[in-house]
PDB file of all heavy atoms in Angstrom:
ATOM      1  N   ALA G 177      18.524   7.698   2.203  1.00 97.00           N
ATOM      2  CA  ALA G 177      18.713   9.129   2.435  1.00 97.00           C
ATOM      3  C   ALA G 177      17.704   9.628   3.435  1.00 97.00           C
ATOM      4  O   ALA G 177      16.525   9.215   3.409  1.00 97.00           O
ATOM      5  CB  ALA G 177      18.589   9.921   1.141  1.00 97.00           C
ATOM      6  N   TYR G 178      18.121  10.539   4.324  1.00 97.00           N
ATOM      7  CA  TYR G 178      17.208  11.101   5.313  1.00 97.00           C
ATOM      8  C   TYR G 178      17.784  12.431   5.812  1.00 97.00           C
ATOM      9  O   TYR G 178      18.989  12.710   5.658  1.00 97.00           O
ATOM     10  CB  TYR G 178      17.024  10.130   6.480  1.00 97.00           C
ATOM     11  CG  TYR G 178      18.282   9.639   7.141  1.00 97.00           C
ATOM     12  CD1 TYR G 178      18.891  10.335   8.180  1.00 97.00           C
ATOM     13  CD2 TYR G 178      18.872   8.448   6.709  1.00 97.00           C
ATOM     14  CE1 TYR G 178      20.059   9.859   8.784  1.00 97.00           C
ATOM     15  CE2 TYR G 178      20.041   7.977   7.311  1.00 97.00           C
ATOM     16  CZ  TYR G 178      20.614   8.662   8.356  1.00 97.00           C
ATOM     17  OH  TYR G 178      21.776   8.216   8.950  1.00 97.00           O
ATOM     18  N   PRO G 179      16.937  13.301   6.400  1.00 96.00           N
ATOM     19  CA  PRO G 179      17.420  14.601   6.876  1.00 96.00           C
ATOM     20  C   PRO G 179      18.414  14.463   8.034  1.00 96.00           C
ATOM     21  O   PRO G 179      18.304  13.553   8.853  1.00 96.00           O
ATOM     22  CB  PRO G 179      16.148  15.300   7.354  1.00 96.00           C
ATOM     23  CG  PRO G 179      15.038  14.580   6.705  1.00 96.00           C
ATOM     24  CD  PRO G 179      15.481  13.159   6.563  1.00 96.00           C
ATOM     25  N   GLY G 180      19.363  15.379   8.071  1.00 93.00           N
ATOM     26  CA  GLY G 180      20.348  15.346   9.127  1.00 93.00           C
ATOM     27  C   GLY G 180      20.141  16.392  10.202  1.00 93.00           C
ATOM     28  O   GLY G 180      20.850  16.396  11.222  1.00 93.00           O
ATOM     29  N   GLY G 185      18.851  22.337   6.008  1.00 92.00           N
ATOM     30  CA  GLY G 185      18.620  21.336   4.985  1.00 92.00           C
ATOM     31  C   GLY G 185      19.752  20.331   4.816  1.00 92.00           C
ATOM     32  O   GLY G 185      20.119  20.000   3.680  1.00 92.00           O
ATOM     33  N   ASP G 186      20.289  19.825   5.924  1.00 95.00           N
ATOM     34  CA  ASP G 186      21.372  18.820   5.832  1.00 95.00           C
ATOM     35  C   ASP G 186      20.783  17.494   5.354  1.00 95.00           C
ATOM     36  O   ASP G 186      19.666  17.094   5.748  1.00 95.00           O
ATOM     37  CB  ASP G 186      22.020  18.620   7.185  1.00 95.00           C
ATOM     38  CG  ASP G 186      22.721  19.875   7.690  1.00 95.00           C
ATOM     39  OD1 ASP G 186      22.833  20.839   6.900  1.00 95.00           O
ATOM     40  OD2 ASP G 186      23.118  19.893   8.851  1.00 95.00           O
ATOM     41  N   LEU G 187      21.566  16.768   4.564  1.00 96.00           N
ATOM     42  CA  LEU G 187      21.130  15.479   4.001  1.00 96.00           C
ATOM     43  C   LEU G 187      22.149  14.408   4.328  1.00 96.00           C
ATOM     44  O   LEU G 187      23.359  14.630   4.173  1.00 96.00           O
ATOM     45  CB  LEU G 187      20.921  15.583   2.487  1.00 96.00           C
ATOM     46  CG  LEU G 187      20.425  14.339   1.749  1.00 96.00           C
ATOM     47  CD1 LEU G 187      19.005  13.990   2.192  1.00 96.00           C
ATOM     48  CD2 LEU G 187      20.499  14.545   0.254  1.00 96.00           C
ATOM     49  N   VAL G 188      21.691  13.241   4.763  1.00 97.00           N
ATOM     50  CA  VAL G 188      22.562  12.109   5.098  1.00 97.00           C
ATOM     51  C   VAL G 188      22.310  10.993   4.112  1.00 97.00           C
ATOM     52  O   VAL G 188      21.139  10.614   3.849  1.00 97.00           O
ATOM     53  CB  VAL G 188      22.302  11.587   6.539  1.00 97.00           C
ATOM     54  CG1 VAL G 188      23.226  10.413   6.836  1.00 97.00           C
ATOM     55  CG2 VAL G 188      22.492  12.702   7.552  1.00 97.00           C
ATOM     56  N   LEU G 189      23.364  10.413   3.544  1.00 97.00           N
ATOM     57  CA  LEU G 189      23.294   9.237   2.682  1.00 97.00           C
ATOM     58  C   LEU G 189      23.911   8.068   3.462  1.00 97.00           C
ATOM     59  O   LEU G 189      25.057   8.145   3.886  1.00 97.00           O
ATOM     60  CB  LEU G 189      24.023   9.466   1.379  1.00 97.00           C
ATOM     61  CG  LEU G 189      23.543  10.626   0.501  1.00 97.00           C
ATOM     62  CD1 LEU G 189      24.350  10.679  -0.811  1.00 97.00           C
ATOM     63  CD2 LEU G 189      22.055  10.522   0.221  1.00 97.00           C
ATOM     64  N   ARG G 199      27.763   9.325   2.864  1.00 95.00           N
ATOM     65  CA  ARG G 199      28.171  10.700   2.560  1.00 95.00           C
ATOM     66  C   ARG G 199      27.231  11.684   3.293  1.00 95.00           C
ATOM     67  O   ARG G 199      26.061  11.375   3.477  1.00 95.00           O
ATOM     68  CB  ARG G 199      28.140  10.969   1.053  1.00 95.00           C
ATOM     69  CG  ARG G 199      28.650  12.322   0.651  1.00 95.00           C
ATOM     70  CD  ARG G 199      28.495  12.556  -0.840  1.00 95.00           C
ATOM     71  NE  ARG G 199      28.934  13.895  -1.202  1.00 95.00           N
ATOM     72  CZ  ARG G 199      28.715  14.474  -2.384  1.00 95.00           C
ATOM     73  NH1 ARG G 199      28.062  13.807  -3.313  1.00 95.00           N
ATOM     74  NH2 ARG G 199      29.135  15.693  -2.617  1.00 95.00           N
ATOM     75  N   LEU G 200      27.753  12.829   3.673  1.00 95.00           N
ATOM     76  CA  LEU G 200      26.950  13.898   4.242  1.00 95.00           C
ATOM     77  C   LEU G 200      26.902  15.062   3.251  1.00 95.00           C
ATOM     78  O   LEU G 200      27.933  15.425   2.666  1.00 95.00           O
ATOM     79  CB  LEU G 200      27.539  14.397   5.584  1.00 95.00           C
ATOM     80  CG  LEU G 200      27.610  13.347   6.711  1.00 95.00           C
ATOM     81  CD1 LEU G 200      28.320  13.981   7.895  1.00 95.00           C
ATOM     82  CD2 LEU G 200      26.237  12.899   7.101  1.00 95.00           C
ATOM     83  N   LEU G 201      25.703  15.610   3.050  1.00 94.00           N
ATOM     84  CA  LEU G 201      25.555  16.787   2.202  1.00 94.00           C
ATOM     85  C   LEU G 201      25.043  17.928   3.095  1.00 94.00           C
ATOM     86  O   LEU G 201      23.820  18.162   3.221  1.00 94.00           O
ATOM     87  CB  LEU G 201      24.589  16.553   1.050  1.00 94.00           C
ATOM     88  CG  LEU G 201      25.127  15.804  -0.168  1.00 94.00           C
ATOM     89  CD1 LEU G 201      25.306  14.344   0.106  1.00 94.00           C
ATOM     90  CD2 LEU G 201      24.199  16.010  -1.369  1.00 94.00           C
ATOM     91  N   PRO G 202      25.946  18.633   3.772  1.00 92.00           N
ATOM     92  CA  PRO G 202      25.500  19.709   4.677  1.00 92.00           C
ATOM     93  C   PRO G 202      24.924  20.882   3.865  1.00 92.00           C
ATOM     94  O   PRO G 202      25.417  21.237   2.801  1.00 92.00           O
ATOM     95  CB  PRO G 202      26.778  20.102   5.391  1.00 92.00           C
ATOM     96  CG  PRO G 202      27.900  19.715   4.459  1.00 92.00           C
ATOM     97  CD  PRO G 202      27.392  18.490   3.738  1.00 92.00           C
ATOM     98  N   HIS G 203      23.873  21.465   4.383  1.00 89.00           N
ATOM     99  CA  HIS G 203      23.236  22.633   3.784  1.00 89.00           C
ATOM    100  C   HIS G 203      22.852  22.391   2.308  1.00 89.00           C
ATOM    101  O   HIS G 203      23.130  23.237   1.459  1.00 89.00           O
ATOM    102  CB  HIS G 203      24.140  23.856   3.895  1.00 89.00           C
ATOM    103  CG  HIS G 203      24.476  24.205   5.320  1.00 89.00           C
ATOM    104  ND1 HIS G 203      23.571  24.722   6.227  1.00 89.00           N
ATOM    105  CD2 HIS G 203      25.643  24.062   6.022  1.00 89.00           C
ATOM    106  CE1 HIS G 203      24.158  24.915   7.388  1.00 89.00           C
ATOM    107  NE2 HIS G 203      25.416  24.521   7.298  1.00 89.00           N
ATOM    108  N   ALA G 204      22.269  21.228   2.063  1.00 92.00           N
ATOM    109  CA  ALA G 204      21.711  21.023   0.721  1.00 92.00           C
ATOM    110  C   ALA G 204      20.692  22.112   0.417  1.00 92.00           C
ATOM    111  O   ALA G 204      20.509  22.525  -0.720  1.00 92.00           O
ATOM    112  CB  ALA G 204      21.055  19.642   0.647  1.00 92.00           C
ATOM    113  N   LEU G 209      14.518  20.227   5.139  1.00 95.00           N
ATOM    114  CA  LEU G 209      14.065  19.453   3.973  1.00 95.00           C
ATOM    115  C   LEU G 209      12.593  19.124   4.079  1.00 95.00           C
ATOM    116  O   LEU G 209      12.048  18.886   5.161  1.00 95.00           O
ATOM    117  CB  LEU G 209      14.874  18.183   3.847  1.00 95.00           C
ATOM    118  CG  LEU G 209      16.370  18.347   3.532  1.00 95.00           C
ATOM    119  CD1 LEU G 209      17.074  16.987   3.561  1.00 95.00           C
ATOM    120  CD2 LEU G 209      16.580  19.012   2.173  1.00 95.00           C
ATOM    121  N   ILE G 212      12.574  14.361  -0.697  1.00 97.00           N
ATOM    122  CA  ILE G 212      13.784  13.885  -1.340  1.00 97.00           C
ATOM    123  C   ILE G 212      13.433  12.670  -2.204  1.00 97.00           C
ATOM    124  O   ILE G 212      12.470  11.961  -1.933  1.00 97.00           O
ATOM    125  CB  ILE G 212      14.886  13.494  -0.308  1.00 97.00           C
ATOM    126  CG1 ILE G 212      14.342  12.441   0.669  1.00 97.00           C
ATOM    127  CG2 ILE G 212      15.384  14.695   0.440  1.00 97.00           C
ATOM    128  CD1 ILE G 212      15.360  12.002   1.701  1.00 97.00           C
ATOM    129  N   ILE G 221      20.229  12.671  -6.531  1.00 96.00           N
ATOM    130  CA  ILE G 221      19.145  12.770  -5.549  1.00 96.00           C
ATOM    131  C   ILE G 221      18.568  14.178  -5.613  1.00 96.00           C
ATOM    132  O   ILE G 221      19.293  15.172  -5.584  1.00 96.00           O
ATOM    133  CB  ILE G 221      19.622  12.412  -4.128  1.00 96.00           C
ATOM    134  CG1 ILE G 221      18.424  12.459  -3.158  1.00 96.00           C
ATOM    135  CG2 ILE G 221      20.760  13.314  -3.681  1.00 96.00           C
ATOM    136  CD1 ILE G 221      18.741  11.826  -1.800  1.00 96.00           C
ATOM    137  N   THR G 223      16.106  17.205  -4.085  1.00 96.00           N
ATOM    138  CA  THR G 223      15.697  17.696  -2.757  1.00 96.00           C
ATOM    139  C   THR G 223      14.876  18.953  -2.917  1.00 96.00           C
ATOM    140  O   THR G 223      15.020  19.730  -3.842  1.00 96.00           O
ATOM    141  CB  THR G 223      16.925  18.008  -1.881  1.00 96.00           C
ATOM    142  OG1 THR G 223      17.724  19.005  -2.509  1.00 96.00           O
ATOM    143  CG2 THR G 223      17.760  16.769  -1.648  1.00 96.00           C
ATOM    144  N   HIS G 234      21.332  16.791  -6.702  1.00 95.00           N
ATOM    145  CA  HIS G 234      22.732  16.633  -6.311  1.00 95.00           C
ATOM    146  C   HIS G 234      23.278  15.303  -6.810  1.00 95.00           C
ATOM    147  O   HIS G 234      22.560  14.302  -6.881  1.00 95.00           O
ATOM    148  CB  HIS G 234      22.863  16.645  -4.771  1.00 95.00           C
ATOM    149  CG  HIS G 234      22.035  17.681  -4.095  1.00 95.00           C
ATOM    150  ND1 HIS G 234      22.531  18.908  -3.724  1.00 95.00           N
ATOM    151  CD2 HIS G 234      20.735  17.667  -3.714  1.00 95.00           C
ATOM    152  CE1 HIS G 234      21.560  19.622  -3.133  1.00 95.00           C
ATOM    153  NE2 HIS G 234      20.478  18.865  -3.112  1.00 95.00           N
TER     154      HIS G 234
END
Side-chain angles (χ1 to χ4, degrees):
Y178 52 89
D186 297 350
L187 181 67
V188 180
L189 301 182
R199 185 185 177 191
L200 298 176
L201 279 74
H203 301 290
L209 294 175
I212 57 180
I221 184 167
T223 59
H234 318 263

